[in-house]
Amino acid sequence: MAGGRWGPLLTALLVARVAAAAEGGPEQAALPEERSWVRPMTASNWTLVMEGEWMLKFYAPWCPSCQQTDSEWETFAKNGEILQISVGKVDVTQEPGLSGRFFVTTLPAFFHAKDGIFRRYRGPGVYEDLQNYILEKKWQSVEPLTGWKSPASLTMSGMAGLFSVSSKIWHLHKYFTVTLGIPAWCSYVFFVMATLIFGLFLGLVLVVISECFYLPFPKHLSEHTEQTRKSEETHKAEQPQDAEEEKDDSNEEENKDSLVDDEEEKEDLADEDEVEEDEEEDGSVALADEERNDAQDQGPLREAQEEGEAEPEEDLPEPPGAAHTEVAEDTLRQRKSQHAAKGPQ
């Protein structure tokens, strides 16, 4: 009976105590978080944007401008099914390779992708503007990122790898300086030495690869090439000698031609001298004939003078023949002197 009376009372006290504990607890039950419609993109799943239509946002948790557009971007993602578009986001602090692939230099950065063709969206990150950009197809007036600028190109793939390596080096430097407490200059020295060692190792690998794939020439081919090389060297050595011999031959020919020309000039001068001598001889013969004629003409005059002694003597003019004879003799002497002067030349 006692147990039957106290049973319901104990049950009521237990329920009241549990309720009081629940109401006076330090924390209430947490509400479930709201589901996000924005899909995080990483280096492993970014190729999904190559199919269909996408809008991507590059952000960083510490960026105030990125935080201001979070609510607008979430609203835009909720209406993605109506707009028939997928919405994604990339944290550049976690995915430096993707930021390098898209060559992101400012935050936040927005990109539109349609069947693997990418365009940069430079408008505000407001829901209305984003919605009009898709509905009115304003992206068609934007120049696409083609060629080496395309995120899918080989060049931008290399850029993604470079950004990833630089991020890992920065994290390693932070680990050395912050976690281990190593001075910054020691960390720099470590990276310099690592770079030199890696370069030497890479050069050694390239040398080994070239030696493995190098195919030596057969012996007869190598001998043939050696003979060919020697013949070419001898031919090159003979070329200057041939040029000098040709030059000497040309000089000799020029000298011979000059000698022949001098002899011809001398012969011409000799012929001219002979012609002048013939002319002088003819002139002297003519002068002698004139003198003879003058003498015959002067004979009767002399006889008349001898007979007429009583007549007064008159000054007779000098016969013209004598003056002409003297002029001819002077001319003959001048020509002989000129000929004598030309002879030694």
Side-chain angles (χ1 to χ4, degrees):
M1 291 178 61
R5 280 198 311 265
W6 291 102
L9 180 61
L10 291 174
T11 304
L13 290 174
L14 182 60
V15 171
R17 187 173 181 178
V18 171
E23 291 177 359
E27 295 180 357
Q28 296 181 353
L31 296 175
E33 294 183 358
E34 187 179 0
R35 175 175 174 266
S36 177
W37 294 87
V38 182
R39 185 167 185 175
M41 306 303 296
T42 62
S44 60
N45 66 350
W46 81 272
T47 54
L48 295 175
V49 301
M50 300 295 291
E51 298 178 357
E53 191 171 6
W54 283 77
M55 284 293 291
L56 295 178
K57 172 187 174 182
F58 288 81
Y59 72 100
W62 46 262
C63 175
S65 300
C66 300
Q67 295 173 2
Q68 293 175 1
T69 59
D70 285 344
S71 59
E72 298 287 341
W73 195 253
E74 190 68 33
T75 304
F76 178 63
K78 287 180 180 179
N79 296 309
E81 294 182 359
I82 300 173
L83 300 174
Q84 296 181 353
I85 189 171
S86 301
V87 180
K89 62 180 179 179
V90 179
D91 185 358
V92 296
T93 61
Q94 300 296 326
E95 299 295 335
L98 282 181
S99 64
R101 184 179 292 275
F102 284 82
F103 203 69
V104 176
T105 56
T106 58
L107 294 175
F110 304 97
F111 288 87
H112 173 268
K114 176 70 173 177
D115 296 331
I117 299 176
F118 298 87
R119 292 175 174 86
R120 181 74 179 265
Y121 171 73
R122 299 185 182 276
V126 182
Y127 169 69
E128 288 78 8
D129 294 330
L130 294 169
Q131 184 179 11
N132 294 331
Y133 185 79
I134 299 302
L135 292 177
E136 297 177 7
K137 296 184 179 181
K138 294 181 180 180
W139 50 268
Q140 293 180 350
S141 61
V142 180
E143 184 179 359
L145 301 175
T146 57
W148 67 270
K149 295 181 180 179
S150 175
S153 65
L154 183 62
T155 305
M156 301 313 291
S157 298
M159 186 68 71
L162 182 62
F163 271 60
S164 299
V165 171
S166 63
S167 177
K168 292 178 180 178
I169 292 173
W170 181 81
H171 284 295
L172 186 60
H173 174 71
K174 189 175 180 181
Y175 174 75
F176 287 158
T177 56
V178 176
T179 305
L180 300 181
I182 297 175
W185 66 270
C186 293
S187 177
Y188 295 149
V189 170
F190 170 77
F191 286 117
V192 170
M193 296 300 296
T195 303
L196 292 176
I197 293 172
F198 178 76
L200 293 174
F201 176 74
L202 185 61
L204 179 62
V205 170
L206 292 176
V207 170
V208 172
I209 292 174
S210 62
E211 289 292 334
C212 292
F213 288 96
Y214 174 72
L215 297 176
F217 288 102
K219 187 175 180 181
H220 65 279
L221 292 177
S222 61
E223 293 177 354
H224 178 70
T225 54
E226 184 68 20
Q227 292 176 358
T228 305
R229 185 179 62 81
K230 289 182 179 179
S231 62
E232 290 178 355
E233 290 179 354
T234 53
H235 180 68
K236 290 180 180 180
E238 290 175 355
Q239 283 182 351
Q241 296 178 358
D242 296 339
E244 291 178 358
E245 291 178 357
E246 291 178 356
K247 188 176 180 180
D248 295 337
D249 295 338
S250 62
N251 292 331
E252 291 178 358
E253 291 178 357
E254 290 178 357
N255 294 330
K256 290 179 180 179
D257 294 337
S258 62
L259 293 173
V260 171
D261 294 337
D262 294 338
E263 291 177 357
E264 290 179 354
E265 289 179 357
K266 289 181 180 179
E267 291 178 356
D268 295 337
L269 291 173
D271 294 338
E272 291 178 357
D273 294 339
E274 291 178 357
V275 172
E276 290 178 355
E277 290 178 355
D278 294 339
E279 291 178 354
E280 289 175 358
E281 291 177 356
D282 295 338
S284 61
V285 171
L287 290 174
D289 293 339
E290 290 179 358
E291 291 177 355
R292 209 177 286 112
N293 294 329
D294 292 336
Q296 292 177 0
D297 294 336
Q298 290 177 0
L301 291 174
R302 290 177 181 175
E303 293 176 358
Q305 288 178 358
E306 291 176 354
E307 292 176 355
E309 292 179 352
E311 293 180 359
E313 296 181 357
E314 295 180 358
D315 295 332
L316 296 174
E318 187 177 356
H324 185 70
T325 304
E326 293 178 358
V327 172
E329 291 177 356
D330 294 335
T331 304
L332 184 60
R333 292 193 196 95
Q334 291 177 359
R335 288 183 178 178
K336 289 182 177 181
S337 62
Q338 290 178 357
H339 179 67
K342 291 181 180 180
Q345 296 179 358

